[in-house]
Amino acid sequence: GPTGFVIGVDMTPEMIKKARRNALNGSYTNVQFRLGEIEQVPVETNSIDTIISNCVINLSPDKEAVFKEAYRVLKPGGRLAISDIVATAELPDEYRDDPALHCACMAGAEAIDAINAMLVRAGFQEIRIEPKDGSRELIRQWAPGIPIDQLLVSASIEAVKPPEP
């Protein structure tokens, strides 16, 4: 809304330029874009109400650090609302090592239990991870000829940083 403010973060200068161009074209004045990585978000501690992410965490080699960093930057009572690909079974090394599957946010998928454990260790509460079985068709299209859709599914992942006592 008109009183809200959005900070977008990306690790590539090209995406920051594109986002800024899109904001200008859309006359969005309540947005800002910063160059940074999700393991070290360029915002102050306890400064963000909500973190929204779409299929980016799988690109990080250190997902534990991503969730700890999300916890750091969220205000008490703030929430995490992300969509990402999760593993429903162990991925073979050939899939984990495939650069194309990595770029498609599939090779870095973690098991639901592992994601839940990372969120708990980071300090989050009210954790909900909801797999979307209907996403398997889309995943099959991302990797034609590779039966990875039997091992992965899209999921909505939500968690809350507890309010201060």
Short mmCIF file of all heavy atoms in Angstrom, two decimals, residues 81-128:
data_model
loop_
_atom_site.label_atom_id
_atom_site.label_comp_id
_atom_site.label_asym_id
_atom_site.label_seq_id
_atom_site.Cartn_x
_atom_site.Cartn_y
_atom_site.Cartn_z
N ALA A 81 7.78 -15.81 4.26
CA ALA A 81 6.81 -16.43 3.36
C ALA A 81 7.50 -16.68 2.03
O ALA A 81 7.70 -15.77 1.24
CB ALA A 81 5.60 -15.52 3.17
N ILE A 82 7.91 -17.92 1.83
CA ILE A 82 8.68 -18.24 0.62
C ILE A 82 8.06 -19.41 -0.12
O ILE A 82 7.31 -20.20 0.42
CB ILE A 82 10.16 -18.53 0.95
CG1 ILE A 82 10.29 -19.76 1.85
CG2 ILE A 82 10.83 -17.33 1.57
CD1 ILE A 82 11.72 -20.16 2.10
N SER A 83 8.42 -19.48 -1.37
CA SER A 83 8.07 -20.62 -2.20
C SER A 83 9.39 -21.15 -2.73
O SER A 83 10.24 -20.38 -3.18
CB SER A 83 7.18 -20.17 -3.36
OG SER A 83 6.93 -21.24 -4.24
N ASP A 84 9.58 -22.44 -2.65
CA ASP A 84 10.82 -23.03 -3.14
C ASP A 84 10.57 -24.48 -3.48
O ASP A 84 9.51 -25.03 -3.16
CB ASP A 84 11.95 -22.90 -2.12
CG ASP A 84 13.28 -22.55 -2.77
OD1 ASP A 84 13.54 -23.01 -3.91
OD2 ASP A 84 14.07 -21.81 -2.16
N ILE A 85 11.53 -25.09 -4.10
CA ILE A 85 11.45 -26.51 -4.44
C ILE A 85 12.06 -27.29 -3.28
O ILE A 85 13.12 -26.94 -2.77
CB ILE A 85 12.24 -26.80 -5.74
CG1 ILE A 85 11.71 -25.95 -6.90
CG2 ILE A 85 12.19 -28.28 -6.09
CD1 ILE A 85 10.28 -26.21 -7.29
N VAL A 86 11.35 -28.35 -2.86
CA VAL A 86 11.83 -29.20 -1.78
C VAL A 86 11.95 -30.64 -2.28
O VAL A 86 11.26 -31.04 -3.22
CB VAL A 86 10.90 -29.15 -0.54
CG1 VAL A 86 10.85 -27.74 0.03
CG2 VAL A 86 9.51 -29.64 -0.86
N ALA A 87 12.82 -31.39 -1.64
CA ALA A 87 13.03 -32.79 -2.01
C ALA A 87 12.08 -33.69 -1.22
O ALA A 87 11.93 -33.51 -0.01
CB ALA A 87 14.48 -33.19 -1.75
N THR A 88 11.45 -34.60 -1.91
CA THR A 88 10.60 -35.58 -1.25
C THR A 88 11.33 -36.91 -1.12
O THR A 88 10.83 -37.83 -0.49
CB THR A 88 9.29 -35.79 -2.04
OG1 THR A 88 9.61 -36.17 -3.39
CG2 THR A 88 8.46 -34.51 -2.04
N ALA A 89 12.50 -36.99 -1.73
CA ALA A 89 13.38 -38.17 -1.63
C ALA A 89 14.81 -37.69 -1.88
O ALA A 89 15.02 -36.58 -2.36
CB ALA A 89 12.98 -39.22 -2.67
N GLU A 90 15.76 -38.51 -1.52
CA GLU A 90 17.18 -38.15 -1.68
C GLU A 90 17.52 -37.98 -3.16
O GLU A 90 17.19 -38.84 -3.99
CB GLU A 90 18.07 -39.24 -1.07
CG GLU A 90 19.54 -38.92 -1.08
CD GLU A 90 19.91 -37.74 -0.20
OE1 GLU A 90 19.23 -37.51 0.82
OE2 GLU A 90 20.88 -37.03 -0.53
N LEU A 91 18.16 -36.86 -3.50
CA LEU A 91 18.59 -36.64 -4.87
C LEU A 91 19.91 -37.35 -5.13
O LEU A 91 20.83 -37.23 -4.33
CB LEU A 91 18.78 -35.15 -5.14
CG LEU A 91 17.55 -34.26 -5.12
CD1 LEU A 91 17.95 -32.82 -5.42
CD2 LEU A 91 16.51 -34.72 -6.11
N PRO A 92 20.01 -38.05 -6.25
CA PRO A 92 21.30 -38.68 -6.58
C PRO A 92 22.36 -37.61 -6.84
O PRO A 92 22.03 -36.49 -7.27
CB PRO A 92 21.01 -39.45 -7.87
CG PRO A 92 19.54 -39.41 -8.09
CD PRO A 92 18.98 -38.33 -7.22
N ASP A 93 23.61 -37.96 -6.61
CA ASP A 93 24.71 -37.01 -6.83
C ASP A 93 24.72 -36.46 -8.25
O ASP A 93 25.05 -35.29 -8.45
CB ASP A 93 26.06 -37.66 -6.52
CG ASP A 93 26.28 -37.87 -5.04
OD1 ASP A 93 25.57 -37.23 -4.23
OD2 ASP A 93 27.15 -38.68 -4.67
N GLU A 94 24.35 -37.26 -9.24
CA GLU A 94 24.37 -36.78 -10.62
C GLU A 94 23.39 -35.62 -10.82
O GLU A 94 23.62 -34.73 -11.63
CB GLU A 94 24.05 -37.91 -11.61
CG GLU A 94 22.64 -38.44 -11.50
CD GLU A 94 22.40 -39.68 -12.35
OE1 GLU A 94 22.72 -40.77 -11.88
OE2 GLU A 94 21.87 -39.52 -13.46
N TYR A 95 22.30 -35.60 -10.07
CA TYR A 95 21.36 -34.49 -10.13
C TYR A 95 21.90 -33.30 -9.33
O TYR A 95 21.81 -32.16 -9.77
CB TYR A 95 19.99 -34.87 -9.57
CG TYR A 95 19.22 -35.87 -10.40
CD1 TYR A 95 18.01 -36.36 -9.96
CD2 TYR A 95 19.68 -36.34 -11.63
CE1 TYR A 95 17.28 -37.28 -10.70
CE2 TYR A 95 18.96 -37.26 -12.38
CZ TYR A 95 17.77 -37.72 -11.92
OH TYR A 95 17.04 -38.61 -12.65
N ARG A 96 22.44 -33.56 -8.15
CA ARG A 96 22.98 -32.48 -7.31
C ARG A 96 24.15 -31.76 -7.99
O ARG A 96 24.37 -30.58 -7.77
CB ARG A 96 23.46 -33.03 -5.97
CG ARG A 96 22.31 -33.46 -5.08
CD ARG A 96 22.48 -32.91 -3.68
NE ARG A 96 21.39 -33.31 -2.83
CZ ARG A 96 20.37 -32.51 -2.51
NH1 ARG A 96 20.32 -31.29 -2.96
NH2 ARG A 96 19.41 -32.94 -1.73
N ASP A 97 24.90 -32.48 -8.83
CA ASP A 97 26.07 -31.92 -9.49
C ASP A 97 25.77 -31.35 -10.88
O ASP A 97 26.68 -30.86 -11.55
CB ASP A 97 27.17 -32.98 -9.61
CG ASP A 97 27.67 -33.45 -8.25
OD1 ASP A 97 27.53 -32.70 -7.27
OD2 ASP A 97 28.19 -34.59 -8.18
N ASP A 98 24.53 -31.41 -11.33
CA ASP A 98 24.16 -30.97 -12.67
C ASP A 98 23.97 -29.44 -12.67
O ASP A 98 23.06 -28.92 -12.02
CB ASP A 98 22.87 -31.67 -13.09
CG ASP A 98 22.47 -31.36 -14.52
OD1 ASP A 98 22.54 -30.18 -14.94
OD2 ASP A 98 22.08 -32.31 -15.23
N PRO A 99 24.83 -28.70 -13.41
CA PRO A 99 24.72 -27.23 -13.42
C PRO A 99 23.35 -26.73 -13.92
O PRO A 99 22.83 -25.75 -13.40
CB PRO A 99 25.83 -26.78 -14.36
CG PRO A 99 26.77 -27.94 -14.45
CD PRO A 99 25.96 -29.17 -14.21
N ALA A 100 22.77 -27.39 -14.90
CA ALA A 100 21.47 -26.96 -15.42
C ALA A 100 20.38 -27.13 -14.36
O ALA A 100 19.52 -26.26 -14.19
CB ALA A 100 21.12 -27.74 -16.68
N LEU A 101 20.43 -28.22 -13.62
CA LEU A 101 19.45 -28.44 -12.56
C LEU A 101 19.67 -27.47 -11.40
O LEU A 101 18.73 -27.06 -10.73
CB LEU A 101 19.49 -29.88 -12.06
CG LEU A 101 19.02 -30.94 -13.07
CD1 LEU A 101 19.18 -32.34 -12.48
CD2 LEU A 101 17.58 -30.69 -13.49
N HIS A 102 20.92 -27.08 -11.18
CA HIS A 102 21.22 -26.09 -10.14
C HIS A 102 20.63 -24.73 -10.53
O HIS A 102 19.95 -24.08 -9.73
CB HIS A 102 22.72 -25.98 -9.90
CG HIS A 102 23.07 -25.04 -8.80
ND1 HIS A 102 22.88 -25.34 -7.48
CD2 HIS A 102 23.54 -23.77 -8.83
CE1 HIS A 102 23.25 -24.31 -6.73
NE2 HIS A 102 23.65 -23.36 -7.54
N CYS A 103 20.87 -24.32 -11.77
CA CYS A 103 20.34 -23.03 -12.24
C CYS A 103 18.82 -23.00 -12.23
O CYS A 103 18.23 -21.93 -12.09
CB CYS A 103 20.86 -22.73 -13.64
SG CYS A 103 22.62 -22.33 -13.66
N ALA A 104 18.20 -24.16 -12.38
CA ALA A 104 16.73 -24.25 -12.38
C ALA A 104 16.18 -24.41 -10.96
O ALA A 104 15.01 -24.74 -10.79
CB ALA A 104 16.30 -25.41 -13.26
N CYS A 105 17.02 -24.20 -9.96
CA CYS A 105 16.61 -24.26 -8.55
C CYS A 105 16.15 -25.66 -8.13
O CYS A 105 15.31 -25.80 -7.24
CB CYS A 105 15.50 -23.25 -8.24
SG CYS A 105 16.01 -21.55 -8.45
N MET A 106 16.68 -26.68 -8.75
CA MET A 106 16.28 -28.04 -8.39
C MET A 106 17.39 -28.82 -7.69
O MET A 106 17.13 -29.54 -6.74
CB MET A 106 15.81 -28.79 -9.64
CG MET A 106 14.52 -28.22 -10.21
SD MET A 106 13.85 -29.20 -11.55
CE MET A 106 14.74 -28.53 -12.93
N ALA A 107 18.64 -28.68 -8.15
CA ALA A 107 19.74 -29.48 -7.60
C ALA A 107 20.00 -29.17 -6.13
O ALA A 107 20.48 -30.03 -5.40
CB ALA A 107 21.01 -29.26 -8.41
N GLY A 108 19.67 -27.98 -5.68
CA GLY A 108 19.92 -27.59 -4.30
C GLY A 108 18.76 -27.85 -3.35
O GLY A 108 18.80 -27.41 -2.20
N ALA A 109 17.75 -28.56 -3.82
CA ALA A 109 16.58 -28.81 -2.98
C ALA A 109 16.94 -29.63 -1.74
O ALA A 109 17.71 -30.58 -1.81
CB ALA A 109 15.50 -29.54 -3.78
N GLU A 110 16.36 -29.22 -0.61
CA GLU A 110 16.56 -29.93 0.65
C GLU A 110 15.26 -30.65 1.02
O GLU A 110 14.17 -30.23 0.64
CB GLU A 110 16.91 -28.95 1.77
CG GLU A 110 18.27 -28.33 1.64
CD GLU A 110 19.41 -29.28 1.97
OE1 GLU A 110 19.17 -30.35 2.56
OE2 GLU A 110 20.55 -28.94 1.62
N ALA A 111 15.39 -31.68 1.83
CA ALA A 111 14.22 -32.41 2.32
C ALA A 111 13.41 -31.51 3.26
O ALA A 111 13.96 -30.64 3.95
CB ALA A 111 14.66 -33.67 3.05
N ILE A 112 12.12 -31.74 3.30
CA ILE A 112 11.22 -30.95 4.14
C ILE A 112 11.66 -31.00 5.60
O ILE A 112 11.70 -29.96 6.28
CB ILE A 112 9.77 -31.45 3.98
CG1 ILE A 112 9.29 -31.13 2.56
CG2 ILE A 112 8.85 -30.83 5.02
CD1 ILE A 112 7.98 -31.79 2.18
N ASP A 113 12.02 -32.17 6.10
CA ASP A 113 12.47 -32.29 7.49
C ASP A 113 13.73 -31.47 7.74
O ASP A 113 13.89 -30.86 8.81
CB ASP A 113 12.72 -33.75 7.86
CG ASP A 113 11.43 -34.55 7.97
OD1 ASP A 113 10.34 -33.94 8.05
OD2 ASP A 113 11.52 -35.80 7.98
N ALA A 114 14.64 -31.44 6.76
CA ALA A 114 15.87 -30.66 6.92
C ALA A 114 15.57 -29.16 6.96
O ALA A 114 16.15 -28.43 7.77
CB ALA A 114 16.84 -30.98 5.79
N ILE A 115 14.66 -28.71 6.11
CA ILE A 115 14.28 -27.29 6.11
C ILE A 115 13.64 -26.93 7.44
O ILE A 115 13.95 -25.90 8.04
CB ILE A 115 13.34 -26.98 4.93
CG1 ILE A 115 14.08 -27.15 3.61
CG2 ILE A 115 12.77 -25.56 5.05
CD1 ILE A 115 13.19 -27.16 2.39
N ASN A 116 12.73 -27.78 7.90
CA ASN A 116 12.07 -27.53 9.18
C ASN A 116 13.11 -27.42 10.30
O ASN A 116 13.05 -26.51 11.13
CB ASN A 116 11.07 -28.64 9.48
CG ASN A 116 10.19 -28.30 10.65
OD1 ASN A 116 9.27 -27.49 10.53
ND2 ASN A 116 10.50 -28.89 11.81
N ALA A 117 14.08 -28.32 10.31
CA ALA A 117 15.11 -28.31 11.35
C ALA A 117 15.95 -27.03 11.28
O ALA A 117 16.29 -26.45 12.32
CB ALA A 117 16.00 -29.54 11.22
N MET A 118 16.28 -26.57 10.07
CA MET A 118 17.05 -25.33 9.93
C MET A 118 16.26 -24.13 10.46
O MET A 118 16.82 -23.26 11.11
CB MET A 118 17.43 -25.11 8.47
CG MET A 118 18.54 -26.01 7.97
SD MET A 118 19.01 -25.59 6.28
CE MET A 118 18.37 -27.00 5.42
N LEU A 119 14.98 -24.10 10.15
CA LEU A 119 14.13 -23.00 10.63
C LEU A 119 14.04 -23.00 12.16
O LEU A 119 14.12 -21.95 12.79
CB LEU A 119 12.74 -23.10 10.01
CG LEU A 119 12.67 -22.77 8.51
CD1 LEU A 119 11.34 -23.23 7.92
CD2 LEU A 119 12.88 -21.27 8.28
N VAL A 120 13.92 -24.18 12.75
CA VAL A 120 13.87 -24.29 14.21
C VAL A 120 15.18 -23.82 14.82
O VAL A 120 15.21 -23.03 15.77
CB VAL A 120 13.54 -25.74 14.64
CG1 VAL A 120 13.79 -25.95 16.13
CG2 VAL A 120 12.10 -26.10 14.29
N ARG A 121 16.31 -24.27 14.26
CA ARG A 121 17.62 -23.87 14.78
C ARG A 121 17.82 -22.36 14.66
O ARG A 121 18.48 -21.74 15.49
CB ARG A 121 18.74 -24.62 14.07
CG ARG A 121 18.90 -26.04 14.54
CD ARG A 121 20.18 -26.69 14.04
NE ARG A 121 20.27 -26.81 12.60
CZ ARG A 121 19.79 -27.82 11.88
NH1 ARG A 121 19.18 -28.84 12.47
NH2 ARG A 121 19.94 -27.85 10.57
N ALA A 122 17.26 -21.75 13.62
CA ALA A 122 17.39 -20.30 13.45
C ALA A 122 16.57 -19.55 14.49
O ALA A 122 16.84 -18.39 14.76
CB ALA A 122 16.96 -19.90 12.04
N GLY A 123 15.55 -20.21 15.07
CA GLY A 123 14.73 -19.58 16.09
C GLY A 123 13.27 -19.37 15.70
O GLY A 123 12.48 -18.84 16.48
N PHE A 124 12.91 -19.75 14.48
CA PHE A 124 11.54 -19.53 13.99
C PHE A 124 10.54 -20.41 14.72
O PHE A 124 10.86 -21.49 15.23
CB PHE A 124 11.45 -19.80 12.49
CG PHE A 124 12.04 -18.70 11.66
CD1 PHE A 124 13.30 -18.84 11.09
CD2 PHE A 124 11.35 -17.52 11.44
CE1 PHE A 124 13.85 -17.84 10.33
CE2 PHE A 124 11.89 -16.50 10.68
CZ PHE A 124 13.14 -16.67 10.12
N GLN A 125 9.30 -19.93 14.74
CA GLN A 125 8.16 -20.67 15.29
C GLN A 125 7.05 -20.66 14.25
O GLN A 125 7.18 -20.04 13.19
CB GLN A 125 7.69 -20.04 16.59
CG GLN A 125 8.73 -20.08 17.69
CD GLN A 125 8.25 -19.40 18.97
OE1 GLN A 125 7.22 -18.75 19.01
NE2 GLN A 125 9.03 -19.54 20.03
N GLU A 126 5.95 -21.34 14.57
CA GLU A 126 4.78 -21.40 13.68
C GLU A 126 5.20 -21.78 12.26
O GLU A 126 4.77 -21.17 11.27
CB GLU A 126 4.01 -20.08 13.68
CG GLU A 126 3.48 -19.70 15.06
CD GLU A 126 2.76 -18.36 15.04
OE1 GLU A 126 1.99 -18.11 14.10
OE2 GLU A 126 2.99 -17.59 15.99
N ILE A 127 6.03 -22.78 12.15
CA ILE A 127 6.58 -23.22 10.86
C ILE A 127 5.55 -24.07 10.12
O ILE A 127 4.98 -25.00 10.69
CB ILE A 127 7.88 -24.02 11.08
CG1 ILE A 127 8.93 -23.13 11.76
CG2 ILE A 127 8.39 -24.59 9.77
CD1 ILE A 127 10.12 -23.87 12.33
N ARG A 128 5.32 -23.70 8.88
CA ARG A 128 4.43 -24.49 8.01
C ARG A 128 5.13 -24.70 6.68
O ARG A 128 5.55 -23.73 6.04
CB ARG A 128 3.11 -23.77 7.77
CG ARG A 128 2.22 -23.72 8.99
CD ARG A 128 0.86 -23.14 8.68
NE ARG A 128 0.90 -22.21 7.56
CZ ARG A 128 -0.15 -21.79 6.89
NH1 ARG A 128 -1.32 -22.22 7.19
NH2 ARG A 128 -0.03 -20.92 5.90
#
